[in-house]
Amino acid sequence: IHTGHWCVHYRPDLEARYVRRLTITTELKRALASKQNELSMVYQPKIDVQTMKVCSMEALIRWNNANLGFIPPDEFITIAEQAGLIEQVTTWVMNQTISDLAYFRQQGYEFTVAMNLSTQDIQNKKLLDKLVRILAGAGLSPASLELEITESDLVADASLAIENLSSLTAQGFHFAIDDFGTGYSSLAYLKNLPVKTIKIDKSFILALANDKDDQQIVRAVLGLATAFDLKVVAEGVEDKDSLAMLQQWGCDVVQGYYISRPLARSNLEEWLHSSPY
Ligand code: C2E
Ligand code: CA
Ligand code: CA
Ligand code: CA
């Protein structure tokens, strides 16, 4: 009786979510196969706090669909993982990002480019081998690319992920732990992994200037990270006061709307010419 009630009550909602998921899956398959530019990459600058100059650009995917409009990456990346499409999405991201990286080098820019990998990617040896091949094919060294992975990729039963991580690190790739602070891993745990950079999750940074709890957390992370010899990036820096605090507490790199929103390649070049960074 209870079950019946539950079904009647929630069905329309579940159905709407199911239909959206199915539509996204179908449209994403089509977008990956088509030659039109539905998918694109945007780049968000990261600033070295010491020099206040650009040291890196994070590559972020964008998807604009004729029927669905703008679909946030958080939403469609999750669906792509569940639908078995993430390898194709990441392959698209790798090709586009490395081609843009080669272009930036041609233009004389020396910043690195950071690419996001999903949980499944870091377990996928074939895909990671492809990354190495594409990069070599473009004549670029592994040191010019950073790979951002989340804590959860390495915490649970992840021996394969750690094996792949170690192998890529030995070839000269650099990894950063994304969304640090939102999962269960500790800095003590990371100490045993070939990871030299953490990105403090933006949930601790967005309101930093006005939130005493966030200030405590961020100072504690920065203190420990120094002790463990880790480089710290703060993402989600939206105002001057937060930036000043991070500077004062020894944060290495900052990223956020205060510096710049993520930009398409052509807009990025304009920004690079006119910004003080
Ligand atoms: P993320 O890797 O943690 O990326 C940071 C997110 O914070 C980006 O959202 C960025 O636009 C946003 N952001 C940066 N600065 C600020 C700020 O000052 N304020 C606020 N409110 N937000 C800021 P975006 O682009 O929507 O990406 C969301 C997530 O989707 C990413 O989180 C990442 O997990 C995933 N994602 C994006 N692109 C890719 C990709 O190419 N591959 C994979 N696997 N995942 C991706
Ligand atoms: Ca990231
Ligand atoms: Ca994050
Ligand atoms: Ca994220």
Side-chain angles (χ1 to χ4, degrees):
I1 298 156
H2 236 95
T3 310
H5 175 74
W6 191 86
C7 277
V8 169
H9 195 72
Y10 282 101
R11 216 182 136 196
D13 195 43
L14 284 175
E15 198 170 283
R17 280 176 52 190
Y18 177 77
V19 169
R20 176 156 172 94
R21 179 172 295 260
L22 201 66
T23 313
I24 286 180
T25 305
T26 313
E27 288 293 318
L28 185 58
K29 273 187 199 158
R30 210 192 30 70
L32 285 162
S34 90
K35 288 271 168 284
Q36 283 150 355
N37 299 327
E38 263 183 62
L39 296 166
S40 64
M41 296 307 294
V42 290
Y43 295 89
Q44 189 180 32
K46 295 193 235 178
I47 306 296
D48 181 324
V49 172
Q50 289 283 312
T51 61
M52 287 308 277
K53 295 289 168 200
V54 174
C55 57
S56 179
M57 294 284 172
E58 178 173 4
L60 296 156
I61 194 169
R62 292 292 177 262
W63 181 22
N64 270 297
N65 178 267
N67 300 323
L68 295 162
F70 173 80
I71 304 131
D74 272 335
E75 183 180 16
F76 76 81
I77 292 286
T78 307
I79 294 174
E81 283 179 312
Q82 290 159 354
L85 293 171
I86 193 66
E87 181 170 345
Q88 267 176 277
V89 172
T90 304
T91 300
W92 188 90
V93 168
M94 279 170 8
N95 279 308
Q96 189 60 50
T97 300
I98 291 171
S99 145
D100 287 338
L101 173 57
Y103 174 82
F104 294 139
R105 283 288 180 278
Q106 267 171 25
Q107 301 300 306
Y109 294 114
E110 288 176 351
F111 50 74
T112 60
V113 169
M115 205 177 86
N116 290 283
L117 291 177
S118 83
T119 303
Q120 285 172 28
D121 298 332
I122 193 73
Q123 318 247 15
N124 186 341
K125 183 78 168 64
K126 197 180 100 207
L127 181 71
L128 297 172
D129 287 343
K130 185 150 65 179
L131 171 66
V132 173
R133 277 202 309 277
I134 298 172
L135 199 65
L140 296 163
S141 82
S144 54
L145 195 68
E146 286 173 273
L147 300 170
E148 297 191 359
I149 58 180
T150 56
E151 296 180 52
S152 52
D153 304 343
L154 302 172
V155 180
D157 174 30
S159 51
L160 183 60
I162 293 171
E163 196 180 306
N164 290 336
L165 185 78
S166 303
S167 148
L168 285 169
T169 304
Q171 295 174 60
F173 285 88
H174 292 273
F175 285 87
I177 299 294
D178 214 341
D179 302 347
F180 186 81
T182 60
Y184 297 100
S185 80
S186 64
L187 287 168
Y189 172 76
L190 293 182
K191 187 175 73 109
N192 302 313
L193 295 173
V195 170
K196 285 266 162 274
T197 304
I198 56 169
K199 289 187 85 170
I200 305 181
D201 191 64
K202 62 176 180 292
S203 58
F204 303 104
I205 306 293
L206 291 172
L208 187 67
N210 304 307
D211 189 313
K212 292 272 182 294
D213 293 333
D214 289 344
Q215 291 170 17
Q216 298 283 358
I217 293 166
V218 170
R219 288 186 82 156
V221 170
L222 283 164
L224 273 171
T226 309
F228 286 117
D229 212 11
L230 290 162
K231 185 167 125 182
V232 181
V233 183
E235 67 172 17
V237 179
E238 290 194 353
D239 59 85
K240 206 175 163 196
D241 294 344
S242 302
L243 173 61
M245 286 178 176
L246 290 161
Q247 253 167 336
Q248 196 190 331
W249 300 335
C251 184
D252 301 288
V253 176
V254 289
Q255 175 183 11
Y257 294 170
Y258 180 70
I259 312 287
S260 172
R261 289 184 176 258
L263 299 168
R265 197 176 87 177
S266 55
N267 298 330
L268 184 69
E269 287 197 272
E270 274 173 51
W271 183 87
L272 284 162
H273 284 119
S274 58
S275 89
Y277 304 108

